[in-house]
Amino acid sequence: MNLNNGCVSQQNTRYVAVVGLGFCEHHITLEAIQELKRAEVVLGHESVISSLSEYIPGDAMCISDAHIRERTDDIKDLRIYRTKEAVKYALKGKRVVYLCPGDPGIYSYAQPILEYAAEKVEVKVVPGITAALVAAARLGAPLRDGFALIGLYEERLNPEIIEKRVRAAIESDFVIVFYLPKHEALLYPQFYPEEKYPELYPVKVRCVERLENAFCILQKTRSPDTPLGILRISQEQEVILTTLNNYSHVFEDILPYSTVVVGNSMSKIAGKYFVTSVWRD
Amino acid sequence: MNLNNGCVSQQNTRYVAVVGLGFCEHHITLEAIQELKRAEVVLGHESVISSLSEYIPGDAMCISDAHIRERTDDIKDLRIYRTKEAVKYALKGKRVVYLCPGDPGIYSYAQPILEYAAEKVEVKVVPGITAALVAAARLGAPLRDGFALIGLYEERLNPEIIEKRVRAAIESDFVIVFYLPKHEALLYPQFYPEEKYPELYPVKVRCVERLENAFCILQKTRSPDTPLGILRISQEQEVILTTLNNYSHVFEDILPYSTVVVGNSMSKIAGKYFVTSVWRD
């Protein structure tokens, strides 16, 4: 099945555009701006909508999370409601833009929207700079030779498959990127009431456990001077570069939404950069 | 070591900006445009420089590959020359932009530039939309739950480590993204003379072997209806969506610079989209 030709935007069909924005305002792509300028309905967090106001037509309807939170305070209901609203307006013939931080396809909203909406409306995914690329660029060039991307914590994600992936990635000398090493319920417990999410509680213990397990395996198997880079995104963006043997000192810096890059046997710290050389014969 | 704060560009220092452009003109980010607008020296392929002319100051010096090819016809020499030129002009106090397709950090130029230049000049890496994100966006949402990125072919890259990574990724149920499954020497033999690159010859046999080996393991271990997506970039960009058991029929479509996405046990074809659901308890 040949899906479509060229890198062409769908000019003449109505669809939900699931648009990646990257992690800074200046990561936005021309494609994302083009989608915003044609939007008739925009869905997303109020702060994100507000920061993009120069690109959004004045007569577009903006449905912010604040608007949705008037109806629900459950974060899962909020996501479902947002998806349903997007599809509802696309079915009415509106050009809908659904805003996502980072890339919409990686631990974000493209998959749930496609699973819900694929039979109902066209969905166009507009890629965005994902956190792994931001962390890598700020650290140097740690991902040169491929990598394994593992989401270390997520609601109800199977812990056995995570551990299996961590072990496999270590054994085959992948550079590893960990996403979301602590759960956002640590930051926003009001969105994760214990009666709705019993599997998360006690939050801190479960988050810490999974992170500690991964690093326990890493510390037993990789050299203590393996580079370890952290991109923190929860407050101000900041990059920390250290080594695996200093992990315990930076543990508290790994806040929710952080991205952690662990080097492989070809990684080194060159000056102030984290660089991975190429495995050769 | 805290490298820097905020998502702030380095306004007042001279540096080489290694700038990712994505795979289409409309993937360019505002950050990349900002770097181009301040450039005093720009290095890259002539067609890329030309397509970006609206952002490059009229008095900037543009050093194209065509200019460098007047001095050398060896592709490795060309890359070394380009890197040295970038550093030379940065040391003279010029603001240098080094253009990269995709993301500069993944199978691209950030790593060799940093290894050569980290002690000499500041290097700023500007992330770009890498092919995995483009392929994923065009196919649907195959990378939802993490993935392993493996460069299947590259000059002299250790084949044992590749096979080990393929096996590990399969055993731990990663979605896998393969980059460059056939070598560009197949397309541009003039840049890879046999006397300089004996390890590549016979080119086709070595390229095909590695690709076949990976798919041989995949076909033995993953379900025949596992989604298989291909983004071809060598001629016009095109996306093909099929399943693992149809691999032999699309083998010839996997040209140099293609990106291949292989699903895991949670992947499916939903309508015309390739979607991977989340592994849960």
Side-chain angles (χ1 to χ4, degrees), chain A residues 45 73 75 183-193 201 233-235 256-257:
Chain A
H45 194 275
D73 60 355
I75 205 156
H183 196 269
E184 63 179 3
L186 269 175
L187 267 190
Y188 308 110
Q190 69 272 30
F191 296 143
Y192 296 91
Y201 284 83
I233 339 189
S234 55
Q235 289 166 15
Y257 297 124

Side-chain angles (χ1 to χ4, degrees), chain A:
Chain A
M1 151 165 46
N2 283 11
L3 295 181
N4 42 24
N5 288 303
C7 212
V8 181
S9 50
Q10 291 135 297
Q11 295 276 357
N12 302 314
T13 53
R14 293 289 186 250
Y15 55 89
V16 178
V18 191
V19 173
L21 302 169
F23 279 91
C24 289
E25 282 176 35
H26 61 198
H27 290 158
I28 195 168
T29 63
L30 294 189
E31 186 174 24
I33 290 173
Q34 189 187 41
E35 291 300 332
L36 277 166
K37 286 186 169 170
R38 295 198 304 230
E40 293 172 298
V41 177
V42 179
L43 296 112
H45 194 275
E46 49 276 16
S47 65
V48 178
I49 291 175
S50 150
S51 72
L52 297 167
S53 59
E54 66 185 293
Y55 308 121
I56 301 173
D59 57 352
M61 177 194 286
C62 293
I63 305 175
S64 78
D65 291 356
H67 175 79
I68 301 171
R69 275 197 299 272
E70 289 167 14
R71 289 169 180 74
T72 175
D73 60 355
D74 183 295
I75 205 156
K76 207 185 276 177
D77 291 347
L78 185 149
R79 289 173 189 157
I80 293 167
Y81 184 89
R82 210 157 55 169
T83 301
K84 286 185 173 171
E85 287 288 281
V87 173
K88 183 179 89 182
Y89 285 104
L91 284 172
K92 284 182 182 172
K94 299 286 183 193
R95 211 178 275 279
V96 178
V97 169
Y98 189 110
L99 301 171
C100 299
D103 179 85
I106 300 180
Y107 300 105
S108 187
Y109 303 118
Q111 170 259 335
I113 291 178
L114 281 166
E115 294 218 26
Y116 174 72
E119 308 291 323
K120 302 181 181 79
V121 292
E122 290 279 317
V123 178
K124 179 186 178 186
V125 183
V126 176
I129 304 286
T130 189
L133 305 188
V134 182
R138 301 281 298 284
L139 290 162
L143 309 182
R144 168 64 180 79
D145 190 22
F147 62 96
L149 176 62
I150 301 173
L152 204 54
Y153 202 89
E154 198 178 16
E155 298 151 48
R156 306 182 66 180
L157 190 65
N158 184 309
E160 285 75 33
I161 191 77
I162 292 178
E163 190 173 331
K164 203 169 174 183
R165 287 181 185 173
V166 172
R167 287 187 183 279
I170 291 173
E171 280 161 22
S172 54
D173 206 32
F174 273 105
V175 169
I176 304 176
V177 182
F178 291 120
Y179 270 21
L180 303 171
K182 288 185 192 172
H183 196 269
E184 63 179 3
L186 269 175
L187 267 190
Y188 308 110
Q190 69 272 30
F191 296 143
Y192 296 91
E194 186 167 356
E195 59 276 19
K196 285 231 175 192
Y197 300 94
E199 73 279 7
L200 294 178
Y201 284 83
V203 176
K204 190 148 189 176
V205 174
R206 295 204 53 168
C207 296
V208 169
E209 251 174 27
R210 206 169 280 187
L211 191 60
E212 292 272 278
N213 284 348
F215 274 90
C216 186
I217 306 168
L218 281 161
Q219 285 179 315
K220 281 185 197 146
T221 45
R222 295 208 169 166
S223 160
D225 60 357
T226 300
L228 168 64
I230 302 161
L231 172 69
R232 303 201 305 178
I233 339 189
S234 55
Q235 289 166 15
E236 56 179 17
Q237 295 194 17
E238 186 189 17
V239 177
I240 295 162
L241 178 56
T242 185
T243 50
L244 205 49
N245 57 339
N246 282 317
Y247 162 66
S248 57
H249 302 300
V250 293
F251 183 81
E252 287 306 315
D253 292 318
I254 303 177
L255 298 169
Y257 297 124
S258 287
T259 299
V260 179
V261 186
V262 183
N264 69 2
S265 66
M266 304 298 285
S267 302
K268 61 191 174 193
I269 294 179
K272 57 182 183 175
Y273 303 105
F274 173 176
V275 180
T276 301
S277 299
V278 183
W279 250 111
R280 295 194 186 282
D281 288 334

